[in-house]
Amino acid sequence: MTTHSETGSVFQSRKFTDFAPIKESLISRRLNASFILAPLAMKLVEDGVPIRIVYLGHRDGTALMVGKDSLIREFPDLRGKTVAIPNRFSNQNLLMHRMMKRWGMAPDSITLIEVPPPEHPTALRAGSVDGYIVGEPFAALSEVKGFGRPLYYTKDMWPNFISCVLVVRKETIDEERALVQELVDGIAKSGKWLDQNLEHRMDAAQIVGKHVNFQDPELLKFVLSKPPDRVKYSNLGPLRADFDEIMELALEVGVLKRRLEFEEYVDTSFVAPVERIDWGFDELPRPTAGDPGQ
Amino acid sequence: MKLKVLIGALVWTLLVSLAHVQLNVGWVTLTEVVREWFGRKRAVLEIGYLPVT
C-alpha cells in the first residue's frame, strides 16, 4: 500500500500472474483500475463492461524471442512453428498477424498458443514452443539465462508499440476524478523521470525488483538498458491514430466483432497538458566517494 | 482492595485489546476505521497489474 499524497489518498496495487483474473476482478468491481492489454480493454467495452482507457503503461517493451541456437533468423523462418502469445486479446497476437501479412504468409502459417506471460521462458526452454512474444522482463529472461535470443524487438516491427493500457471503471472516473487524475499524473511523472537518464532507470530497477515485483533487479537493469530504447515511458497519452490501427487489425483478425468509436473506449480528459504537471521530482541521495554504506 | 481489582481488570482488558489489534486486526485497518469515524476516510483506488513492463 502506498500513501501517495498528503491529501490522504491511497493507491493499492494488486499483482496478478495472468490477464483472465484481472478481467474478472474488473467486471466484479474488485478492482477500480488496472493495467491490461489494449485489445482486451476494447473487447471488455464491446461486451458492455463500463471501463475506459485513460493512459498507456509504456511504449515498446515487447520482444519476439526464439531459442539461442535455433535456425530461425528472420520472420518467415517461423512458418510451421509454434509461438506463444500472452493472450488472444493482445497486441502481441495482432502484431504476429500484422507480420504474417507483411511477409505474405497465410494467417494460419504459424501456430499461436496462449501462455501466461511468466511461463513463456519456461515453455521455450522445455521445447513446447519455438518462440514467444511477450512484454519484458519475460522476453529478456531467456536471453539473460542464456537459452533465448531476440529475433525482433517491437521497436523494429511496430514502432511505439502499445501493449498494456491503464483502464479505469466508469463509476470511478465519475466519482473519483481527482484521484484518477493524481494516478495518471503520477504515471506521467514517473515515465518522464525514468526516461531522463540511465541512472534513474537503474534506481527504478533496484527498487521495483526488490520491493514491488520481487524480480531480479539485475534482470530489470538489463531490460531498461540493453538497449535503452527497448522500452519507453514517454508519450503515454492514448492517440486516436494508434488505436484506429489496433481496431482495424482486431476486426481483421476477428478478436473484435464490431467497430468501436474511439470515444466509446478511451477517455483522454486525464491527459494533462505538459505545462500543468508539476515536474518536481524527489531525488534519492547519491552515494559519495568512499561512502561505506554503498 | 476493590480499586486494585478494578485497575488490574482495566490493565488486563487494555493488554488483551492491544494484542487483539496487533494479532488479528492490524494497526493500519484500525487507523482507517478511526479515520472513517471522524469523517476523514481516505480515497482508495485498487489497481491491478501484471509484473511486465
Side-chain angles (χ1 to χ4, degrees):
Chain A
M1 187 162 74
T2 308
T3 304
H4 190 77
S5 76
E6 291 171 4
T7 57
S9 53
V10 175
F11 296 104
Q12 208 159 8
S13 58
R14 284 182 54 195
K15 186 174 160 182
F16 291 79
T17 54
D18 200 0
F19 289 103
I22 292 187
K23 184 185 85 176
E24 296 306 321
S25 296
L26 268 173
I27 292 171
S28 60
R29 300 184 183 196
R30 286 196 297 274
L31 288 175
N32 305 103
S34 186
F35 288 97
I36 61 170
L37 301 159
L40 180 59
M42 293 163 153
K43 178 64 184 165
L44 288 176
V45 173
E46 187 188 63
D47 290 346
V49 181
I51 56 165
R52 294 290 180 272
I53 295 169
V54 299
Y55 216 55
L56 309 183
H58 57 92
R59 283 187 181 269
D60 295 315
T62 283
L64 174 56
M65 305 297 295
V66 294
K68 189 185 171 191
D69 301 320
S70 94
L71 299 175
I72 300 165
R73 297 287 163 196
E74 55 180 2
F75 197 83
D77 296 337
L78 288 169
R79 196 186 302 271
K81 306 285 188 195
T82 302
V83 173
I85 55 170
N87 193 287
R88 182 168 172 249
F89 300 102
S90 66
N91 263 354
Q92 283 80 359
N93 181 26
L94 301 185
L95 174 56
M96 289 302 290
H97 282 89
R98 190 181 192 251
M99 290 291 281
M100 283 189 269
K101 192 178 174 186
R102 183 184 292 175
W103 286 90
M105 297 160 68
D108 59 352
S109 53
I110 299 172
T111 305
L112 301 174
I113 59 167
E114 291 178 272
V115 177
E119 293 169 25
H120 278 225
T122 319
L124 180 69
R125 187 171 221 169
S128 47
V129 295
D130 301 291
Y132 67 84
I133 180 163
V134 76
E136 300 290 3
F138 300 112
L141 186 63
S142 63
E143 190 181 356
V144 169
K145 296 279 183 191
F147 61 90
R149 152 173 73 81
L151 185 63
Y152 297 104
Y153 298 113
T154 42
K155 68 186 180 72
D156 304 318
M157 294 186 283
W158 188 347
N160 294 316
F161 179 78
I162 294 169
S163 176
C164 280
V165 294
L166 175 66
V167 298
V168 181
R169 282 191 61 94
K170 189 73 174 61
E171 73 271 9
T172 304
I173 289 177
D174 295 338
E175 293 162 15
E176 302 282 1
R177 277 201 76 82
L179 197 58
V180 176
Q181 187 66 66
E182 190 181 351
L183 175 66
V184 170
D185 287 352
I187 296 168
K189 281 181 70 172
S190 311
K192 187 177 169 90
W193 179 81
L194 270 170
D195 282 355
Q196 266 181 352
N197 58 52
L198 216 50
E199 207 170 35
H200 287 170
R201 286 183 165 223
M202 297 303 102
D203 284 345
Q206 191 67 31
I207 293 164
V208 171
K210 214 169 173 181
H211 302 289
V212 184
N213 285 0
F214 306 107
Q215 290 165 331
D216 180 7
E218 295 308 313
L219 172 65
L220 300 186
K221 285 177 185 176
F222 182 88
V223 166
L224 293 174
S225 61
K226 295 189 188 318
D229 61 351
R230 191 173 183 138
V231 52
K232 297 193 286 270
Y233 297 94
S234 302
N235 303 318
L236 301 181
L239 301 175
R240 184 185 294 269
D242 291 337
F243 282 90
D244 283 350
E245 188 176 6
I246 295 168
M247 177 62 65
E248 289 306 320
L249 274 166
L251 290 167
E252 202 176 304
V253 173
V255 300
L256 290 178
K257 292 190 188 98
R258 72 173 177 93
R259 190 181 307 279
L260 301 169
E261 292 302 321
F262 182 70
E263 290 75 13
E264 274 185 82
Y265 60 92
V266 177
D267 184 337
T268 55
S269 64
F270 295 98
V271 183
V274 175
E275 63 271 17
R276 217 204 64 200
I277 299 177
D278 168 21
W279 293 107
F281 298 120
D282 294 329
E283 299 285 343
L284 291 173
R286 291 278 152 213
T288 51
D291 185 343
Q294 302 298 322
Chain B
M1 184 61 186
K2 277 182 182 173
L3 186 65
K4 276 187 179 175
V5 171
L6 182 67
I7 292 170
L10 285 172
V11 169
W12 174 249
T13 306
L14 181 67
L15 287 174
V16 169
S17 299
L18 291 175
H20 175 59
V21 172
Q22 174 70 27
L23 297 171
N24 304 318
V25 180
W27 293 102
V28 174
T29 309
L30 182 70
T31 309
E32 289 305 315
V33 170
V34 172
R35 286 179 75 101
E36 202 172 338
W37 284 348
F38 289 97
R40 295 179 58 205
K41 189 184 178 197
R42 287 198 278 202
V44 178
L45 205 65
E46 290 224 23
I47 306 149
Y49 76 102
L50 235 72
V52 287
T53 36

